Amino acid sequence: MTTDDWFVGSASKRIGSRAWVHAIGFRSERALLALVACDIDDVATIDLTAITAHLSLHPIETVEVLLVASGIQDAIGYRSITPNAQHQVIHAMVDAIVDALTFGCPATIRVTPHALQWRKFDEHPIATLTLHPQPQQIDTTLHQQLTRDCGEPVLIMRTASLTNGWDTTAIAAQLTACSAIPVSTVTWRHQDNCWVLCFNQTPLAIIPGTLASTPDWPHHVVASRPHYALTANQSASTRRFLQEAHRDVNHD
């Protein structure tokens, strides 16, 4: 699943009147990966086989889809909407994934302790992934602020970090100040009930599709903060997080 020729693209689609689905697509000659963040708090109830079935209708190779909830307070409940609305959600996700993979281009990546950003070589942003600790409130206002600062789309994800918070208004300056590295390697593997992604030398561990108990406490993402070693306490909390998430998945 590695090659020196990786293309990165992104796309966003509206779901309902207030929610969105955002996708980042990673494409090489041998593998396709779609990282999808959506404003749905019970993503575990979404049948991934329905997404892959719809994707098979398009002239693209098999796609590995990692679906996570954004944890935003305005997220909708998938089980609470009508079957027709659920079908529209699936189509929005598929359309975002196809567009993100179709319109990708060679890219660079920037890494900070709280975000990863991909840009075209002309410096135009492709997508930004921001990592938020559990105590930090995620709402529409924050998402709009990050979008203004970083460009569209911004994929918001929560982490297992116990950090109380960070200055979200500084993220754009931090991304500008750090070095841009061409995306040369993208790998992923399934490990310990989660997916481990690696962009060049930057690892990201993701638990996709895990049911959120509330929008403010979604058990779905654990990220080893890029280029920063976890402390002993953080490592212990990460192990507990994985155990709890695994128990929740088995129970549900």
Side-chain angles (χ1 to χ4, degrees):
M1 285 185 291
T2 64
T3 178
D4 290 334
D5 299 319
W6 280 96
F7 291 79
V8 183
S10 66
S12 300
K13 301 294 179 181
R14 183 180 289 277
I15 47 178
S17 61
R18 67 182 189 275
W20 288 86
V21 54
H22 305 290
I24 308 178
F26 303 92
R27 173 169 57 91
S28 76
E29 294 181 353
R30 291 183 285 170
L32 302 175
L33 170 69
L35 180 57
V36 183
C38 57
D39 297 339
I40 294 177
D41 63 357
D42 51 352
V43 292
T45 60
I46 299 176
D47 186 2
L48 275 179
T49 60
I51 297 176
T52 54
H54 281 76
L55 284 171
S56 67
L57 301 176
H58 295 267
I60 58 177
E61 300 296 327
T62 302
V63 184
E64 192 74 69
V65 179
L66 303 186
L67 177 63
V68 298
S70 65
I72 198 167
Q73 287 184 313
D74 291 336
I76 62 177
Y78 187 75
R79 290 174 297 182
S80 66
I81 59 179
T82 66
N84 182 60
Q86 291 178 348
H87 192 66
Q88 292 176 354
V89 167
I90 297 297
H91 273 280
M93 291 179 177
V94 170
D95 289 345
I97 291 169
V98 171
D99 286 353
L101 291 170
T102 301
F103 300 106
C105 63
T108 62
I109 185 173
R110 287 169 165 79
V111 179
T112 76
H114 308 294
L116 293 80
Q117 185 181 67
W118 293 267
R119 294 188 187 185
K120 299 179 183 179
F121 279 90
D122 64 4
E123 295 299 315
H124 185 79
I126 297 174
T128 306
L129 173 64
T130 56
L131 307 173
H132 300 258
Q134 297 291 354
Q136 193 171 67
Q137 178 174 306
I138 298 177
D139 55 20
T140 301
T141 300
L142 173 61
H143 200 184
Q144 291 174 341
Q145 173 237 308
L146 290 169
T147 300
R148 287 193 303 269
D149 293 348
C150 304
E152 295 184 299
V154 174
L155 280 69
I156 287 179
M157 295 186 183
R158 287 194 184 275
T159 78
S161 169
L162 299 179
T163 305
N164 289 327
W166 46 273
D167 184 4
T168 58
T169 62
I171 191 64
Q174 293 173 355
L175 287 168
T176 300
C178 70
S179 300
I181 304 172
V183 177
S184 59
T185 303
V186 181
T187 64
W188 58 93
R189 68 184 187 278
H190 197 252
Q191 177 179 311
D192 298 331
N193 303 304
C194 70
W195 285 92
V196 179
L197 282 64
C198 192
F199 307 104
N200 292 357
Q201 301 301 316
T202 299
L204 189 70
I206 296 179
I207 303 174
T210 310
L211 185 64
S213 54
T214 71
D216 291 332
W217 193 259
H219 284 191
H220 59 250
V221 177
V222 55
S224 58
R225 299 162 80 184
H227 299 330
Y228 285 74
L230 293 177
T231 65
N233 287 338
Q234 287 174 324
S235 297
S237 67
T238 297
R239 285 193 294 270
R240 289 196 301 271
F241 177 88
L242 287 169
Q243 291 169 356
E244 291 171 2
H246 180 49
R247 184 170 60 249
D248 289 343
V249 170
N250 287 339
H251 176 72
D252 295 331

